[in-house]
Amino acid sequence: RSGAAKSETLRDGTCPTGENWLCLQCAAVRCSRYVNAHGLAHYEASVKSDPGRDGAGHCVFVSCADLSVWCYCCEAYLCHPKLDPIVKA
């Protein structure tokens, strides 16, 4: 929606476009920590509710803007040949 403030959540509960990330575990789309931090909240909630075998929860997200891959558990961008099919699509 045009004119939405950067920290504003839209009426339907979604975040403004421009800084959204896709969870590679469940395909949820959430905004970055620099908007409303819903991606970070999704990761933190998943550690409690769906930690997986390694306890990391839903920690890996891909940016809808530039296809960079971020790991909330590592707090770092990820680069690995196995991610090429995702980031070079």
Side-chain angles (χ1 to χ4, degrees):
R1 173 181 101 178
S2 175
K6 197 168 188 188
S7 63
E8 182 180 342
T9 300
L10 304 180
R11 288 184 188 188
D12 63 1
T14 61
C15 298
T17 59
E19 247 331 285
N20 291 319
W21 292 72
L22 173 74
C23 173
L24 292 184
Q25 180 71 28
C26 70
V29 176
R30 302 290 185 264
C31 63
S32 80
R33 63 178 73 209
Y34 303 111
V35 179
N36 292 326
H38 291 145
L40 176 61
H42 176 78
Y43 158 65
E44 289 171 343
S46 73
V47 170
K48 295 175 184 167
S49 67
D50 185 18
R53 294 181 304 214
D54 56 7
H58 299 193
C59 61
V60 181
F61 282 70
V62 65
S63 168
C64 297
D66 65 7
L67 301 180
S68 58
V69 180
W70 177 261
C71 176
Y72 280 106
C73 188
C74 304
E75 294 191 5
Y77 287 99
L78 303 178
C79 296
H80 193 279
K82 288 189 176 185
L83 293 171
D84 287 350
I86 297 168
V87 299
K88 294 184 180 184

